[in-house]
Amino acid sequence: MKLYPLFADLQGRRVLVVGGGPVAERKVKSLLSSGAQVIVGSPTLTDPLQNHAQQREIVHLNGCFEPHWLDAMWLVIAATEDRDLNQRIAALATERRLLINVVDDPVLSTFQVPSIVDRAPLTIAISSAGHAPVLARRVRERIESLFDHSIGSLVSLAARYRPSIRKARPDLRQRREFYDWLLDGPVSAALRQQQPKQAEHLLEAALSQPLKSPQGRVVLVGAGPGDPGLLTLNALRALNEADIILHDRLVSPAILDLARRDAVQIEVGKRPGENHDHTQARIHALMLSHASQGQFVARVKGGDAFVFGRGGEELEFLREHNVPYEVVPGVTAALACAAYAGVPLTHRDYAQSVRLATAHCREDTLPDELASMLSENQTLAFYMAVGQLEWLEQTLIRHGKPGDTPFAIIENGTRPEQRVLHGNLLGMAISAREHQIVSPAMVLIGKVAALAPKLEWFGTSAAARVADETDLLHEPESRSEADSFIACA
Ligand code: SAH
């Protein structure tokens, strides 16, 4: 171990910061939050530092560094831009056996300030001993995503109840189980849901009775359209914590790879020949049986669970059976596909509203729906439309939608294999057939779809365009294909 990790109690202790610029300002801020008595030595101060001085939150030594500034200090931070000066301060501090940090200079420093994940009172510090700050930042980002901000409240709650927990669970093994339950179970869930009173109530109730097996629960997770980067932090946490993962076929392998290694993953998509209601009944039965055994079940769906995802039915079923649940929203396909194809769903000039619709519906239930889809200034986003393109095109046109209304079809949106087809509504089905568009695909119809070729940024043809534009000998026309594909892998 190159550096010995330690957490210093600086409450009321004097710390010298030499320098009065933005870097010093950052250091002062974190020193103040740890209760240190901060002395800043510098001929100039940033406005915020000046404020701190006026409010008497820091002491300002106005002038250039003098060795006696080091007297009676516990720690020193040199944050000047002058390396010679930093070196002098470091030498003098080290002579007096004062620990010194020279900002961004591990060679001159005798202590370093780690990156931290702050879930006070829980603090996680990360250091690469100055070798790889970028890696340290990456690790920090990873850890940030693992712990919800409520973990701090959980730690405080556990600290407050520590004596009662010790009394109610004198046996070490039982106490460990209790703490596991506290971290993974409903108390932690209640804190995440911003219900601190409920969390305390649950903790007290659990303490007053003998330890029971953990209560099962279900989290309904929207996993987005495929790109793992579009997962929310809450979704990632659910994947990391769940014992059982029940997922649809649409959930991409890259996302399932992020799940806890020992979690059981079960694909619950529709099987060939199985009808939707049977699939749904099977999913309900699986959720119930696993949750009844005390397991934490993540029901993971593509996009968002409440947008054409039957999430509502699943929650109704869980409520009927008294299974506790929570819901993590996901980025729905319409939003994600539009973003990755460069189609702004609303636009001051072209669209004032967006309609999320499914092409899986019967025309006899539709007259009103269709009538309201005719506005020129509305963007229509059709889910599950690949097998219905002919019907969709004909029906919209028959009801009065102009044949020259632009469309964009985004196949495998946000994934490496994304393809975008665009053109006019009249001829959409033929064009899709010619290009063998397959599911999953999102069909966007409306004036904004015409912006796709101009605003594209994702996929190989976007990269090719950038390359073309940097190649002055290349005629721009030479890349424009006769067909209407703009981006495909
Ligand atoms: N709950 C999901 C939708 C499920 S319905 C959501 O909120 O996104 C399934 C339909 O979603 C597919 O037929 C397709 O129209 C659309 N879809 C889902 N993922 C997609 C993707 N990566 N690219 C394009 N369309 C997608």
Side-chain angles (χ1 to χ4, degrees):
M1 187 159 47
K2 185 157 181 277
L3 299 178
Y4 182 74
L6 63 88
F7 284 90
D9 179 1
L10 293 178
Q11 198 69 39
R13 303 210 155 100
R14 305 173 114 221
V15 177
L16 174 67
V17 177
V18 187
V23 179
E25 184 184 310
R26 270 206 319 274
K27 300 288 168 192
V28 167
K29 198 169 156 215
S30 64
L31 285 168
L32 285 176
S33 72
S34 70
Q37 196 186 334
V38 185
I39 291 96
V40 179
S42 168
T44 55
L45 292 182
T46 62
D47 288 346
L49 282 174
Q50 201 107 44
N51 270 341
H52 283 308
Q54 271 157 12
Q55 307 288 322
R56 295 178 186 281
E57 289 155 352
I58 61 173
V59 174
H60 180 204
L61 302 174
N62 194 351
C64 297
F65 172 74
E66 292 178 37
H68 71 84
W69 286 2
L70 296 171
D71 293 347
M73 295 297 158
W74 286 76
L75 279 182
V76 183
I77 295 182
T80 82
E81 282 172 350
D82 178 344
R83 190 161 198 273
D84 288 343
L85 176 59
N86 284 345
Q87 199 155 14
R88 204 172 129 237
I89 302 169
L92 285 167
T94 307
E95 211 172 83
R96 296 171 187 224
R97 301 195 182 172
L98 267 174
L99 287 178
I100 176 159
N101 173 256
V102 180
V103 177
D104 288 338
D105 199 333
V107 177
L108 290 183
S109 300
T110 50
F111 81 91
Q112 289 177 16
V113 183
S115 318
I116 62 159
V117 176
D118 187 359
R119 299 287 186 274
L122 178 76
T123 309
I124 302 164
I126 301 131
S127 161
S128 66
H131 289 307
V134 177
L135 178 68
R137 206 173 59 230
R138 279 282 186 91
V139 173
R140 208 202 96 199
E141 280 166 13
R142 277 275 179 95
I143 296 179
E144 280 282 358
S145 67
L146 291 179
F147 296 104
D148 186 81
H149 279 262
S150 62
I151 190 95
S153 321
L154 187 65
V155 174
S156 302
L157 186 69
R160 227 163 1 101
Y161 276 86
R162 202 168 161 196
S164 328
I165 295 172
R166 187 169 271 276
K167 205 164 148 209
R169 299 284 183 278
D171 172 67
L172 182 63
R173 199 182 55 84
Q174 274 194 342
R175 201 152 63 236
R176 258 198 213 128
E177 274 177 17
F178 186 80
Y179 279 116
D180 278 343
W181 172 83
L182 203 58
L183 287 171
D184 298 331
V187 171
S188 143
L191 286 173
R192 268 200 312 275
Q193 291 159 21
Q194 302 299 326
Q195 295 161 358
K197 284 217 171 89
Q198 170 72 355
E200 200 156 340
H201 170 74
L202 286 166
L203 190 155
E204 281 175 2
L207 272 184
S208 66
Q209 40 182 277
L211 199 61
K212 279 201 304 224
S213 51
Q215 193 183 16
R217 66 204 165 94
V218 175
V219 57
L220 194 58
V221 180
D227 178 353
L230 297 177
L231 276 180
T232 63
L233 295 182
N234 282 358
L236 188 59
R237 189 174 33 74
L239 286 170
N240 273 309
E241 290 177 3
D243 304 307
I244 305 285
I245 292 172
L246 305 179
H247 65 91
D248 288 348
R249 265 186 311 120
L250 264 182
V251 178
S252 71
I255 285 174
L256 294 170
D257 270 354
L258 298 170
R260 208 177 85 190
R261 289 283 156 233
D262 55 345
V264 176
Q265 298 191 3
I266 306 174
E267 201 226 277
V268 292
K270 190 171 168 254
R271 291 172 178 165
E274 190 176 37
N275 93 13
H276 279 287
D277 291 336
H278 289 165
T279 315
Q280 204 55 46
R282 195 160 59 87
I283 294 168
H284 289 176
L286 279 169
M287 288 194 299
L288 183 59
S289 75
H290 287 290
S292 315
Q293 291 161 39
Q295 285 173 313
F296 177 26
V297 181
R299 169 73 181 106
V300 185
K301 289 166 179 281
D304 181 85
F306 284 176
V307 180
F308 304 121
R310 300 189 78 161
E313 288 167 51
E314 294 181 12
L315 291 198
E316 280 174 293
F317 173 84
L318 294 171
R319 177 67 25 112
E320 261 169 43
H321 292 81
N322 284 324
V323 176
Y325 58 76
E326 57 188 299
V327 184
V328 177
V331 182
T332 191
L335 304 193
C337 292
Y340 278 57
V343 177
L345 289 173
T346 68
H347 188 292
R348 263 160 65 94
D349 299 332
Y350 310 121
Q352 275 69 53
S353 63
V354 189
R355 191 179 186 94
L356 305 187
T358 170
H360 262 268
C361 42
R362 295 200 328 267
E363 200 175 340
D364 56 337
T365 63
L366 269 188
D368 294 342
E369 284 273 302
L370 283 165
S372 61
M373 287 181 184
L374 299 179
S375 155
E376 277 192 30
N377 294 331
Q378 184 180 49
T379 307
L380 305 176
F382 285 100
Y383 290 70
M384 296 176 274
V386 173
Q388 319 281 319
L389 289 174
E390 213 156 299
W391 172 84
L392 190 61
E393 175 184 329
Q394 286 171 6
T395 313
L396 284 173
I397 289 178
R398 189 152 27 87
H399 281 78
K401 196 98 182 153
D404 63 357
T405 308
F407 80 84
I409 298 181
I410 301 105
E411 177 196 77
N412 278 309
T414 82
R415 302 173 182 205
E417 61 273 27
Q418 170 175 306
R419 294 197 299 167
V420 181
L421 177 70
H422 66 96
N424 288 341
L425 183 57
L426 184 63
M428 172 176 79
I430 290 178
S431 179
R433 203 176 321 127
E434 272 170 15
H435 291 96
Q436 301 178 340
I437 290 289
V438 294
S439 190
M442 172 60 49
V443 179
L444 301 176
I445 297 174
K447 288 183 199 159
V448 288
L451 290 169
K454 189 169 150 203
L455 301 181
E456 62 165 337
W457 60 272
F458 181 79
T460 48
S461 89
R465 179 173 49 74
V466 175
D468 281 355
E469 281 166 5
T470 53
D471 178 358
L472 296 176
L473 296 173
H474 216 264
E475 289 291 316
E477 295 91 287
S478 63
R479 70 177 169 81
S480 81
E481 305 290 338
D483 65 30
S484 49
F485 266 110
I486 56 168
C488 53

